[in-house]
Amino acid sequence: MDRVVIVGASMGGLRAAEQLRAAGYEGELIAIGDEPHMPYNRPPLSKEVLAAEVTHAAVAFRLRDSVADVTWRLGTPVAAADLDAGELTLADGSTLACDGLVVATGLRPRRLPLPGGEDRRHVVRTLDDAARLRPCLTPGARVVVVGAGFVGCEVAATARTLGAEVTVVAPETEPMLRPLGPELGAALRARHEARGVTFHLGATVRAFTDTGVTLSSGADLAADVVVEAVGSTPRTEWLEGNGLDLSDGVLCDGTLRVEGRPNVVAVGDVARFPNPRYDDVPRRVEHWSIPTDTAKRAARTLLGEDGGPFLPLPSFWSDQYDLRLQSFGAPALGEDVRVLEGDLETEAVVGHHRDGRLVGVVMLGMARRMAHYRGRLLDDVPALT
Ligand SMILES: Cc1cc2nc3c(=O)[nH]c(=O)nc-3n(C[C@H](O)[C@H](O)[C@H](O)COP(=O)(O)OP(=O)(O)OC[C@H]3O[C@@H](n4cnc5c(N)ncnc54)[C@H](O)[C@@H]3O)c2cc1C
């Protein structure tokens, strides 16, 4: 291969470039990014950076010497790909040939399919989103956060810390219900409520009004700012027309190769791949650990190396107020959720089990027990492999 093009110039794209060089690839590397910025780290956008000043310098990834010769084409998305011909078309009409392709286009935030309130509505996915939201989070501002996943809960905590009046609206019965389970979700809600956040759970937004939002219950909430944190969808439209399975991200095999395409791999949030640590069902994983894990493996796949089974241990963390939630494994796959250590009022480890096997843990505090549980989940590789 003489030229590998990476589409998506964020964490997954950067890690893919580093890993291709680490694996010995010496040909040309071009990374194309829709955003105008060099790769930066997203987690601080809903946490400390949103609470302070939002600048690229505060979140930019360090560029290692190994990727100093990568060509970065930023500010223009790839609009289409012809994989048979090995040709990409950018939104400005220019074309680019490639021998190898890394798909690293991540996600875009879902929006509520409702008209109105445009000047008050925000999402938090990019640096520019956070920079637009930050000046609105003033003391006393009425902020409605729609969605109680990790981004919604983190934005709620940050906005409250900045002195805003915060209300969270979500259809679930507890915040972060899927990864945390009902008990830990309730404990998290209690911590938010103790700091003055109001929850409307089992509720959705029915309409945007001149003064705020109307809920499915008919209740009207006044809002100066509405943050839509209702999940994300994979950015794969540019790959359409190539016969790929794009039903939820890009379907890959267990080595990150895009099905049926020997010279195309996918990394990060957009990649849907099986993890034999759990089963043979391909899934996307929207955690910060995954761009690095997948890039390591995908680079070797693209270069024709056999790396054995790919069994990443997903992990995520979430910071809300002074609270650190840390997860290892795949808690959302567990059906039987139990406190393993500690208590939910202070610090605890919650275990998620499937068929009697521990498949994930979520830790509320308990940093001193992290290595223990991580090791336990890493060692427990089922016979499937
Ligand atoms: C606000 C926020 C907070 C988070 N906090 C945490 C956390 O605390 N813990 C945790 O584990 N994870 C967290 N995450 C998740 C983590 O940041 C992601 O898993 C990670 O950023 C995924 O990286 P990626 O490179 O796969 O995708 P992305 O970071 O989404 O990058 C994809 C890039 O591709 C570009 N692109 C898309 N389409 C095209 C195209 N057609 N042409 C060219 N470029 C294109 C996009 O503009 C983007 O720059 C958070 C995410 C967000 C948004």
Side-chain angles (χ1 to χ4, degrees):
M1 274 186 304
D2 293 326
R3 178 189 281 172
V4 172
V5 176
I6 299 169
V7 183
S10 182
M11 186 179 185
L14 174 62
R15 297 292 178 245
E18 290 168 351
Q19 291 299 327
L20 279 162
R21 289 291 186 234
Y25 173 68
E26 292 178 350
E28 189 180 6
L29 262 179
I30 301 176
I32 305 177
D34 182 14
E35 294 182 70
H37 311 289
M38 286 295 281
Y40 61 86
N41 200 19
R42 295 190 197 276
L45 299 182
S46 48
K47 309 178 184 72
E48 60 271 30
V49 164
L50 190 60
E53 198 194 348
V54 180
T55 63
H56 182 257
V59 287
F61 284 117
R62 184 174 70 84
L63 287 187
R64 293 168 205 260
D65 292 345
S66 65
V67 292
D69 62 351
V70 172
T71 303
W72 300 91
R73 290 183 59 172
L74 303 176
T76 307
V78 171
D82 180 341
L83 298 184
D84 290 334
E87 189 175 83
L88 305 175
T89 304
L90 276 69
D92 61 10
S94 60
T95 58
L96 189 65
C98 59
D99 309 314
L101 178 65
V102 180
V103 178
T105 42
L107 311 174
R108 67 162 52 82
R110 228 177 255 143
R111 305 302 303 249
L112 295 170
L114 298 168
E118 268 76 22
D119 54 335
R120 268 172 284 147
R121 294 169 68 168
H122 294 260
V123 291
V124 187
R125 179 85 200 168
T126 67
L127 184 70
D128 295 348
D129 294 336
R132 181 173 166 256
L133 174 61
R134 175 65 187 88
C136 306
L137 301 180
T138 51
R142 294 163 303 177
V143 177
V144 171
V145 179
V146 187
F150 75 88
V151 171
C153 288
E154 288 177 357
V155 171
T158 304
R160 185 69 198 123
T161 303
L162 290 167
E165 298 299 324
V166 180
T167 304
V168 177
V169 176
E172 294 88 8
T173 49
E174 295 295 354
M176 295 184 73
L177 184 65
R178 217 168 132 247
L180 301 193
E183 277 187 85
L184 188 48
L188 178 67
R189 175 172 50 79
R191 310 246 173 154
H192 277 271
E193 286 173 339
R195 286 169 169 87
V197 173
T198 304
F199 283 83
H200 286 265
L201 296 171
T204 52
V205 171
R206 194 167 72 194
F208 284 88
T209 64
D210 289 344
T211 53
V213 293
T214 303
L215 302 187
S216 45
S217 61
D220 285 316
L221 297 182
D224 305 305
V225 180
V226 178
V227 180
E228 296 174 47
V230 291
S232 309
T233 50
R235 296 188 61 175
T236 53
E237 59 287 344
W238 61 281
L239 283 166
E240 278 167 14
N242 289 288
L244 306 181
D245 181 339
L246 303 175
S247 52
D248 178 24
V250 187
L251 180 63
C252 303
D253 65 16
T255 71
L256 281 325
R257 174 172 284 121
V258 173
E259 293 279 9
R261 297 286 172 176
N263 294 337
V264 185
V265 292
V267 301
D269 283 1
V270 77
R272 181 159 61 103
F273 58 94
N275 186 345
R277 186 177 287 285
Y278 303 107
D279 50 35
D280 57 2
V281 179
R283 296 185 183 87
R284 290 187 312 97
V285 184
E286 300 177 18
H287 297 344
W288 191 86
S289 62
I290 291 299
T292 303
D293 291 341
T294 50
K296 229 177 242 175
R297 186 48 193 265
R300 277 151 187 85
T301 298
L302 203 54
L303 300 180
E305 290 175 21
D306 174 15
F310 178 56
L311 303 161
L313 182 72
S315 70
F316 81 80
W317 79 96
S318 178
D319 292 327
Q320 299 171 36
Y321 313 105
D322 53 354
L323 182 75
R324 157 110 354 161
L325 288 161
Q326 174 74 54
S327 146
F328 295 109
L333 297 183
E335 293 129 11
D336 170 19
V337 183
R338 282 176 262 139
V339 175
L340 302 179
E341 265 192 64
D343 71 85
L344 295 170
E345 306 289 302
T346 53
E347 287 191 298
V349 181
V350 177
H352 295 240
H353 306 78
R354 184 171 73 172
D355 301 329
R357 178 175 161 240
L358 186 67
V359 289
V361 297
V362 182
M363 313 180 72
L364 178 67
M366 287 273 188
R368 63 194 175 280
R369 299 291 282 151
M370 231 182 255
H372 167 80
Y373 282 102
R374 188 170 180 279
R376 208 172 130 183
L377 286 159
L378 264 177
D379 290 346
D380 185 10
V381 182
L384 201 72
T385 61

